[in-house]
Amino acid sequence: MKSRRTLLVRTGHGSAGAASVPGLPELPADAVADTMAHVTAEVTAAGMSAGMAAARAAGAGPERPPMPLDPPDLPPQIPAEAPTAVLPALPAPPVRPVRPPAVPAPNCPEPPAEPPAVPPAAPAFRPLFTDAPGLNWAGPGDSWTRAWAAQEPAEGRPAQLSAPLAVPLPAPDRSASDRSAPDRSASPVEQPLTVRDVELIRASLAVVEPVADRATAHFYALIFLHHPEVRALFPAAMDVQRDRLFRALLAAARAADDPAGLRVHLGALGRGHRRYGTLTGHYGPVGECLVQALARYAGSRWDAETELAWRRVYRLVSSIMIEAAEDAARTSPPWWQGEVVRHERRTRDVAVITVRPDQAYPYRAGQYTSLETPWWPRVWRHFSFASAPRPDGLLTFHVKAVQAGWVSNALVHRAAPGDVLRLGPAAGTMTADHVAGADLLCLGGGTGIAPIRALVEEVAERGTPVGAVDVFYGARRAGDLYELDGLDELARRLPWLTVRPVLSGTGPVEGALTGELPEVVGRFGPWAGREAFLSGPPAMVRRGVGVLLRSGVAAERIRHDLVGDLAAG
């Protein structure tokens, strides 16, 4: 019999282990081992006897299939004193051939040979290099390339409003006598804007602008909900990008009564949007979501007449942008790839970066471009060119790492020779009119000295007689005048160039003026008859414009590109 003080507990397939029961005293290890051996022997003997009896009782009946938990059959034990029989030798296994025999060809006839495929047409723009260290986010078949390859938007989303948004189409050619009269055959949306439309648009804008943040959020929610394929055109973080498109559309609608200025502004916008992968088919869904967002937040100012006015102005806006994008597509790619060939740290947070584009990059001194890094895909920031166009095609940028600036910090602290960036097309109107030959007045603050230096280089390279060129280079500390030595070297070679450093803080700089840059420039006035260029922090540019106007410079001769995100990171 089993001991009352010890129980056998099943712990696995075919095994038994001793376990103590709560409430009973523990047995010594020797006693547990003796009990285990005794019980195991009893169970084994009983099991063998029962199995033999069952086999004899079964007779010639069918053999019971082995159960999954039955132990495998073991070979019979041969007594040592018994003579062992000699088993016949087994034949050697056949040698496998090294090469398998050929498979006979099927009896079915072979299909006819396909005609040779026509090679695809060569792309209009062939990059100078296709592989480089750091080209780790853009390539055939990778995820970002698939995201950048914008898809045609789905049809029928969101639900159409009372008047469907017409897709912009080229207007039919009309004679000069017919252009003054409205086209009666066109739909109401295709009719030109009227004075009444502009009044309705501005009245509804006055209601929407105080709640522009909520209207913007609703606008993007409609786009991403009904047209998720458009989401790939935007960066992962929408904190900066979110307001740009909506506010650009509102600004364009606000200037609807200025066709010439609207065409210049929207043309650059349409060309720049090509780098995002924007297609003509995307403008329709964006317009529908814009109208729905305005209808929600315009309140009592929204009615059928106001909706028609907004549809007309959006058709005008989208047609100008589409036309500019299609014209640019005939002569230039949507973006360029540029390899970093030199990275020079001038200060703790300023770097001068030289980039080699993969193909010819057209621009003028004083303009700027947008850059994207491989570490922040689809996040673009504007940077001015720091040199005039060069024979070797290299591009130079001055980049300052600003607080919480994704792109600027990556370019200053992480970029290195071999990394590959993406560049959008050149933009900006801060270019010099060399035909007029007027004296130039240039104000550059911080890294805003980059386009000023490019303008000086362009004037020097043209070799034409020019008047005086005065450059005021401002910074807070002496260490921030990182480009002063290069400008002084140019001044020694060019007799018409004068460079004056200006410090608003402290620091020993020989010949430096003290004070805020705009006020210092005003002390050297008047500047009547000059063509003025300003580049730097937005606050400095705004103050500088006011000082120059009071110093006699005509408003139309003051040039700057005060783009809101030029100073952003």
Side-chain angles (χ1 to χ4, degrees), residues 5-20:
R5 310 175 72 90
T6 304
L7 297 181
L8 294 179
V9 180
R10 210 66 178 169
T11 61
H13 297 309
S15 64
S20 61

Side-chain angles (χ1 to χ4, degrees), residues 308-531:
L308 181 59
W310 272 101
R311 291 183 178 277
R312 285 176 177 172
V313 73
Y314 182 78
R315 184 179 186 276
L316 174 65
V317 168
S318 58
S319 62
I320 294 175
M321 295 179 66
I322 291 173
E323 180 182 354
E326 291 177 349
D327 290 342
R330 299 186 183 98
T331 58
S332 64
W335 64 75
W336 288 254
Q337 289 181 342
E339 180 185 5
V340 177
V341 296
R342 188 179 302 113
H343 188 282
E344 179 185 359
R345 291 285 290 273
R346 295 290 184 89
T347 69
R348 181 175 58 87
D349 54 0
V350 173
V352 177
I353 301 175
T354 304
V355 176
R356 177 171 65 95
D358 61 344
Q359 51 194 297
Y361 188 97
Y363 75 99
R364 284 198 59 186
Q367 289 187 308
Y368 62 89
T369 186
S370 52
L371 293 180
E372 181 202 44
T373 69
W375 307 284
W376 296 106
R378 293 173 291 171
V379 179
W380 299 78
R381 294 294 183 267
H382 290 150
F383 297 96
S384 297
F385 298 101
S387 62
R390 299 164 52 168
D392 57 8
L394 298 181
L395 310 174
T396 305
F397 303 96
H398 295 185
V399 182
K400 180 178 182 179
V402 299
Q403 187 176 7
W406 295 1
V407 176
S408 62
N409 277 279
L411 291 174
V412 173
H413 300 297
R414 186 168 182 176
D419 290 331
V420 177
L421 314 175
R422 286 210 306 170
L423 297 86
T429 58
M430 200 181 76
T431 56
D433 183 6
H434 300 286
V435 178
D439 295 344
L440 306 184
L441 174 62
C442 304
L443 284 71
T447 53
I449 197 63
I452 301 300
R453 180 187 173 99
L455 287 168
V456 173
E457 290 183 358
E458 186 180 67
V459 173
E461 290 174 0
R462 292 180 66 87
T464 56
V466 296
V469 177
D470 289 271
V471 175
F472 289 82
Y473 180 20
R476 293 190 179 276
R477 297 177 297 272
D480 295 332
L481 296 174
Y482 61 90
E483 195 61 27
L484 183 58
D485 292 341
L487 291 174
D488 286 340
E489 182 181 354
L490 288 176
R492 286 190 292 268
R493 295 191 293 107
L494 305 173
W496 40 263
L497 175 62
T498 303
V499 179
R500 296 184 177 92
V502 180
L503 285 178
S504 61
T506 59
V509 175
E510 183 180 356
L513 306 171
T514 58
E516 297 294 335
L517 180 59
E519 284 70 21
V520 172
V521 173
R523 295 202 301 261
F524 281 79
W527 300 103
R530 292 289 185 116
E531 188 173 358

Side-chain angles (χ1 to χ4, degrees), residues 151-196:
Q151 307 170 8
E152 290 292 344
E155 298 291 338
R157 294 180 302 181
Q160 299 292 324
L161 301 181
S162 57
L165 186 69
V167 177
L169 296 175
D173 189 16
R174 302 170 62 190
S175 62
S177 60
D178 295 338
R179 288 171 187 168
S180 58
D183 187 3
R184 301 299 181 185
S185 61
S187 66
V189 176
E190 296 174 350
Q191 294 290 343
L193 280 175
T194 63
V195 177
R196 175 61 177 168

Side-chain angles (χ1 to χ4, degrees), residues 157-158 216-238 241-242 245 285-286 289 378:
R157 294 180 302 181
T216 302
H218 188 67
F219 167 69
Y220 279 104
L222 289 174
I223 292 180
F224 298 156
L225 176 63
H226 297 290
H227 300 276
E229 72 278 359
V230 181
R231 183 63 179 89
L233 306 181
F234 296 89
M238 295 287 295
Q241 182 67 31
R242 189 185 71 173
L245 178 58
V286 170
C289 297
R378 293 173 291 171

